Every structure is written in structure tokens, then in C-alpha cells.
Amino acid sequence: MARSSLSLICCTLLLLTLALSVKAEVSVTASTNQGRVGQPFELQIESAQFRSIIGGPQLGPLQQDFQIHSNKSVYLTEKRAGRTVFIARWTLSLSPKRAGSLQIPAIEVKQEWSQPQNIQVQPKPRPKAKPLILKALLNSPTAYQGGVINLSVKLYYNLALQSAELTQPKIEGARVELFGDQQSYTETLGSQNYQVIEQQYLVQADSAGRHLIPALHFNGTDGRGSAIAIESKPVEFNIMPLPNGLSAQPQLVASEVQLQQQWLQSFDNLRAGDTLTRSITLTAHGVPAQWLPDIQLANSDGVSVYPQTAQLQQHSVNGVLVSRKQIDFKLLLTQPGKQHLSEVSLHWWDSVGDKPQTAQLQAANILVQPFIGEAQDQEPSSLSSTNPKPDLLSTPSSSSQQDTQWQAWVWAGIALICALGWSLSVQRSKRLELELNTVQRAKTQEPVTAEPVHANNPHNTFSDLSEACHLNDPELAYHCLFEWATAHWPGMRVNSLADIEALANDPTLSYLLKNLEHQLSDPSDSWHGDLLLERLSRIRQQSRQSSSRQDGIRVAISD
């Protein structure tokens, strides 16, 4: 009885031992205990149970710190202590999401859990910084036809440079203009600090369609004298055509356009022979000053237009290019009566609002009186026709009126004599100053072996006249004009401005001479000597051409 009990106890212990040896278990094995952020490694999960395993491990806690890339599974069976054991094995490829000491958590398979494990993860290594980077960047990949695109060329470098050479952008079918000065600064690019050299350009394409900015090349030498080179990536941009059916073709494409005008003289008391200056300023945003269109003013029957040289300005305001083009138009009034000064219109395309716009200046109407000499000639006849001459014998106050008129004439004569004396003294002093300057210039020049230069040489007298006109000095110009005319038409009578008018036979010069005469009698108005000088220069040129033709004829005859 005792033996049978002892045998029963031994069998029971043996069965318990066998049962423990095949107890279900979950094991986790990592291919490494040292990892790096973003670098994959393998993790093997294995489960052994007495019954078939359906499903897989619960991987949710694992995905908190690790990214799973793949999951492969294998199912096996084997005999343990006379019993069939089902084995499932999962092989994962995963990578750490962050650096530090991470834990592979306990993983559940069919209510059985693995033991957690620790893994040390290093941060992701920084990529090796490039010593040179060249970039071509556009502020916008598209623009309207006639519009401007900003191109920035940036050279990033973190090494010493002995020499540097960068090719300038050349774009087929487009013009390129430098914009601003070269800039130097520091910038962080991909966690790496670089020294940057930047140059901006303005690009305007001639035709619609796609255009290519070819690769730009940089060549230089580093601090050790070794040659280095790099190139940028090609960049494309698209030019869109303006919409069809526009009432007027735009002369300019910009983000903002303004037209302003200023009259430099008053419209009061204008006479034939006077000049007006109409100053027109065109302001545009985003367009270089050299690319701004010209402003045109047409001549009329009573007004001759003389455009002056345009004045260009441009500067940057908060990164926006602001350009100005100012043109002064000198208007010579050639006929009395009502004169119409036409309006000015500029059609442009608003690149911000995507619509056509028109900048406009208002027209002006002026009343031009006859030339002062003509007006004085007409006044007596008009007075005699409207106001009969009073009977001096029958009028009691005729003697007193006659005395008053006589006194007025006396005082007017005295004032005229004083004015002439002052005018001659000023004219003489300026003439002496001009002659002294001429003598000093002659001293500084080398002696000429040719024939001596006489005072009545047309070239010398015209030089003096030119200087007087540039000084806008009517009195000095009046004096020099007679000297030049005497030398230009030798043997002819030149005693008055009327003689010069007759010899020149030029209607425009006649009004300019009347303007000069009016200025001498009323020096309160401004006088522009450049108009007179321009007309006289044209007359000299015509005379030379006529003389050369006559010389050619004489040579042909003598041959």
C-alpha cells in the first residue's frame, strides 16, 4: 500500500515536470543593442504553445518609439516530451524614431508576454556639408509678356577663397539687367553656416512661351591654391501673352505706374516767341529706368516742341524697384491766338491686378498774345478807329494832359537811358570775363603754327555765342550774336536783328530772335539760350553743306 502511494506521487511529479517544460512562452531577440536614429535593425519575436497559434503579436506599444518597415512570419511544429508544440516566429525590420535609451516593450502573443529590453540609440549623423553651393532663384516662375522677373544668384561657401569668377546669366530671347549692388551675408543652410554672395538681375523676355536660364558656372581657387568649380541647376520660367481684344496695346507692364507734369512758367501774359517748359515724370514699380518707354509730344501749328535729354533715376524701396524718367519739353510759341497743349496718355498692364490701365495727363489751353513789337504797332490804329482824337482847343484840360504826357515821356526816357547804361556795363563786364577766359585757355594750349586766329573768325565767335547761350545770359548772347553774324555773312550789312532774320530766312529763328529782344526789354522772364543755340547750329550746318556742294561742282568743272 505504501509502495503504491509512493509510485503515484512520483508519477504526479514527473507529469508536472513535463508540463512545465512545454509551458507556452514568448521571447524577443534584437539583432543589436546599439542603434541609430533612422537606421533599421531586426527584431525576432517567437511564441511556442500547445495549440495552433492564430493571429500575431500586438505591436501597438512598439510603434511609439520605432517605425516598422516589414514583418515576415514563419510557423513550425516540433515534439517536446511526446507532445506537439506549435511555434510561430515573426521577423520585424524597424528603426528608432529618436535618440536616447529606448525600451522594446513587452509584446503580447495569445495572452502571453515577453520581457522588455533596452536599446541605446545614437542621433542621426549630420550629412557632410558641401563646401560650395550655387543657386539660381526666381521670385516668380511666370510673368506677362513685357513684364519683369527677378533672378537671384547666390554662392554659398564655407572655405577660404583666393579668387572667384561667376559667369553672367545669358538668356536667349530675353534681356538681363543688373539690379542693385552685390550683397554679402551669412546664412544657415541645412544646419550648416555659409558665407553668401548674392547678385540680383532683372529679366524681360521678348516673346511668350517657356524660356530657360542655362546653368551658371563658378570657377575659383581655395585657400591652398587648388582649383574649384561648381555650377547651378538650369531654371525655367514661363511668359504668358497678354489677353486678346485689348482696346490699346500696353506700352509698359508694371505693378504701379504714375504720370505727373509740372509747368515751369505761368500761363499769364504769354506772347509769340515765348517758351514754356512742360516737365513730365513717369514713375513705375518693378521696371528698370532704362526700360521705361519714351513720352511723345507732337508739334502743332502754333507750338514747336523741343524734347530735352531724359533724366533717369531708380532705387529700391522695401525690395521693390522704383524707377523714374523725367523729360522736359520746351515749347516755343510761334503763333498768337488760342493754342491747345494736348493731353498725354500711357496705356499699361497692371501685373498685380491683371488688368489694363491708363495713366493720363490733362490737356491745357493757353492764350498767346502777339509779339510785343507787333502789339505796339497795332495799338495806335486800333485806338484811332475806336476813340477819335480829342479836340485840344475845345477841351479845357488839354494843356494839363499834354504836360502830363510830356513828363511821362521824359521819365520814360531817363529810365531807358539808365537801363541801357546798366545793360551795357553788365554786358561789358561779362564780355571782358569771357575774353579773359578765352585768353587763359589759349595760354594753356600749345602754339599753333597755322595762320593766326582773328577775332572775326566764325568758329571763335560762335564759341563765344555758345558759351553765352549756355549761361542763359541774353545780354551777352545779344552782343555775341552780332559778332558771329558779321563773321558768318562777311560783306553783308548786320546792324539789327531784322538784318539777321533776313539773312537767315528761317521762320523759327525769327521767333527766337523776337524772344531774345523781348527778354532784353523785360528781363523778369526766364530765357533759354539752348533753343537759340540749337537753331543757329542747324543754320551753320546747312551753310556748310551748301558750301561743300558748291565746292564739289567747281572741282567737277575744273576736271
Side-chain angles (χ1 to χ4, degrees):
M1 187 71 179
R3 287 181 178 180
S4 60
S5 299
L6 182 60
S7 298
L8 182 60
I9 293 172
C10 290
C11 290
T12 303
L13 292 174
L14 180 60
L15 290 173
L16 290 174
T17 303
L18 291 173
L20 290 173
S21 65
V22 292
K23 180 182 178 180
E25 60 182 11
V26 178
S27 61
V28 174
T29 304
S31 61
T32 181
N33 59 359
Q34 297 284 339
R36 193 178 292 276
V37 175
Q39 182 176 344
F41 67 96
E42 286 189 354
L43 182 70
Q44 184 172 288
I45 304 172
E46 184 175 302
S47 175
Q49 298 188 15
F50 286 115
R51 59 184 182 276
S52 177
I53 300 174
I54 301 175
Q58 301 298 320
L59 302 178
L62 184 64
Q63 293 179 344
Q64 182 176 356
D65 291 330
F66 299 89
Q67 181 178 359
I68 299 175
H69 302 288
S70 64
N71 183 358
K72 298 179 182 180
S73 58
V74 177
Y75 295 91
L76 306 171
T77 59
E78 65 179 34
K79 294 288 186 178
R80 293 183 184 178
R83 298 188 63 179
T84 300
V85 178
F86 296 89
I87 300 172
R89 187 178 297 129
W90 296 273
T91 302
L92 308 179
S93 175
L94 66 162
S95 59
K97 295 181 179 179
R98 60 185 180 89
S101 179
L102 305 184
Q103 186 182 70
I104 299 176
I107 298 175
E108 177 191 4
V109 180
K110 303 296 278 187
Q111 298 181 352
E112 299 294 338
W113 301 83
S114 67
Q115 295 295 322
Q117 296 183 18
N118 291 328
I119 180 172
Q120 299 297 322
V121 179
Q122 301 296 326
K124 189 176 182 179
R126 291 184 178 180
K128 187 176 180 180
K130 297 180 179 180
L132 283 174
I133 300 175
L134 185 61
K135 289 187 176 183
L137 306 173
L138 298 175
N139 69 325
S140 174
T142 60
Y144 280 102
Q145 187 173 357
V148 177
I149 292 179
N150 288 63
L151 169 64
S152 295
V153 180
K154 293 184 177 183
L155 174 66
Y156 298 81
Y157 64 98
N158 60 359
L159 74 168
L161 294 177
Q162 283 189 5
S163 63
E165 182 181 356
L166 180 65
T167 59
Q168 301 297 313
K170 294 182 179 180
I171 307 170
E172 185 177 357
R175 54 180 175 177
V176 182
E177 179 82 12
L178 273 172
F179 175 37
D181 299 327
Q182 195 175 86
Q183 304 292 326
S184 299
Y185 53 90
T186 303
E187 185 176 327
T188 301
L189 189 63
S191 71
Q192 178 67 38
N193 292 330
Y194 285 92
Q195 296 293 322
V196 182
I197 298 176
E198 180 182 3
Q199 179 63 63
Q200 293 190 7
Y201 299 87
L202 299 176
V203 180
Q204 186 183 58
D206 297 332
S207 58
R210 302 199 66 83
H211 296 263
L212 178 68
I213 301 177
L216 304 177
H217 299 273
F218 169 81
N219 297 284
T221 55
D222 60 13
R224 296 174 298 179
S226 302
I228 52 177
I230 194 173
E231 66 178 21
S232 66
K233 295 181 179 179
V235 181
E236 282 190 347
F237 62 93
N238 185 36
I239 298 299
M240 302 178 294
L242 293 173
N244 295 325
L246 295 177
S247 59
Q249 187 66 24
Q251 300 172 257
L252 181 63
V253 178
S255 59
E256 184 177 339
V257 171
Q258 290 181 350
L259 269 180
Q260 295 175 320
Q261 70 177 350
Q262 183 179 8
W263 299 94
L264 302 187
Q265 292 88 19
S266 172
F267 289 170
D268 298 333
N269 301 322
L270 292 175
R271 295 186 179 275
D274 289 348
T275 56
L276 277 176
T277 302
R278 187 178 187 179
S279 180
I280 298 179
T281 302
L282 169 62
T283 304
H285 290 191
V287 182
Q290 294 182 354
W291 297 357
L292 295 178
D294 290 330
I295 301 171
Q296 303 292 338
L297 290 183
N299 293 323
S300 64
D301 292 340
V303 180
S304 298
V305 180
Y306 296 88
Q308 306 301 299
T309 303
Q311 300 178 13
L312 304 179
Q313 293 180 351
Q314 66 181 33
H315 61 280
S316 179
V317 178
N318 297 327
V320 177
L321 177 63
V322 179
S323 299
R324 289 186 178 88
K325 187 173 190 177
Q326 177 181 337
I327 303 179
D328 291 343
F329 295 90
K330 292 186 177 179
L331 312 179
L332 177 62
L333 309 179
T334 59
Q335 291 184 10
K338 291 183 179 180
Q339 302 295 339
H340 178 73
L341 307 178
S342 61
E343 65 181 15
V344 178
S345 298
L346 177 69
H347 303 285
W348 63 284
W349 181 264
D350 187 351
S351 60
V352 175
D354 287 346
K355 58 182 179 180
Q357 300 275 18
T358 299
Q360 198 167 23
L361 296 177
Q362 294 182 352
N365 294 315
I366 59 175
L367 180 61
V368 180
Q369 302 293 335
F371 176 67
I372 186 170
E374 298 174 357
Q376 290 176 354
D377 294 341
Q378 296 172 3
E379 284 177 1
S381 60
S382 61
L383 289 175
S384 61
S385 60
T386 57
N387 298 324
K389 184 176 180 182
D391 189 358
L392 298 180
L393 297 177
S394 62
T395 304
S397 58
S398 60
S399 60
S400 61
Q401 291 180 358
Q402 189 173 9
D403 293 340
T404 303
Q405 292 179 357
W406 172 253
Q407 293 176 1
W409 280 107
V410 171
W411 284 111
I414 295 174
L416 180 60
I417 293 173
C418 294
L420 289 175
W422 175 82
S423 174
L424 291 174
S425 62
V426 173
Q427 177 180 326
R428 181 177 177 81
S429 62
K430 292 184 177 179
R431 178 61 183 166
L432 290 174
E433 181 181 356
L434 182 61
E435 291 179 354
L436 287 175
N437 292 336
T438 305
V439 171
Q440 289 189 359
R441 288 199 305 267
K443 289 181 178 179
T444 57
Q445 297 176 354
E446 295 182 359
V448 181
T449 57
E451 64 180 51
V453 179
H454 298 288
N456 59 351
N457 187 303
H459 178 74
N460 282 355
T461 55
F462 193 78
S463 298
D464 296 342
L465 177 58
S466 300
E467 188 168 349
C469 290
H470 287 311
L471 293 174
N472 292 324
D473 188 333
E475 298 168 357
L476 186 57
Y478 180 83
H479 178 75
C480 295
L481 176 61
F482 279 96
E483 290 190 356
W484 170 79
T486 302
H488 185 72
W489 291 290
M492 304 301 293
R493 186 185 68 176
V494 183
N495 296 329
S496 65
L497 293 178
D499 293 338
I500 298 178
E501 288 185 39
L503 291 172
N505 193 22
D506 187 274
T508 303
L509 179 63
S510 299
Y511 278 102
L512 291 172
L513 294 179
K514 291 179 180 179
N515 185 26
L516 175 62
E517 187 176 11
H518 172 63
Q519 177 65 26
L520 293 174
S521 62
D522 185 7
S524 60
D525 296 338
S526 59
W527 182 71
H528 301 284
D530 52 348
L531 298 181
L532 177 62
L533 181 61
E534 178 184 355
R535 201 64 193 176
L536 292 175
S537 299
R538 187 174 302 180
I539 292 173
R540 290 182 71 214
Q541 184 178 4
Q542 293 174 353
S543 299
R544 290 177 180 175
Q545 293 175 353
S546 176
S547 177
S548 63
R549 287 195 297 269
Q550 293 176 2
D551 292 342
I553 293 173
R554 286 196 296 269
V555 171
I557 293 174
S558 62
D559 290 341

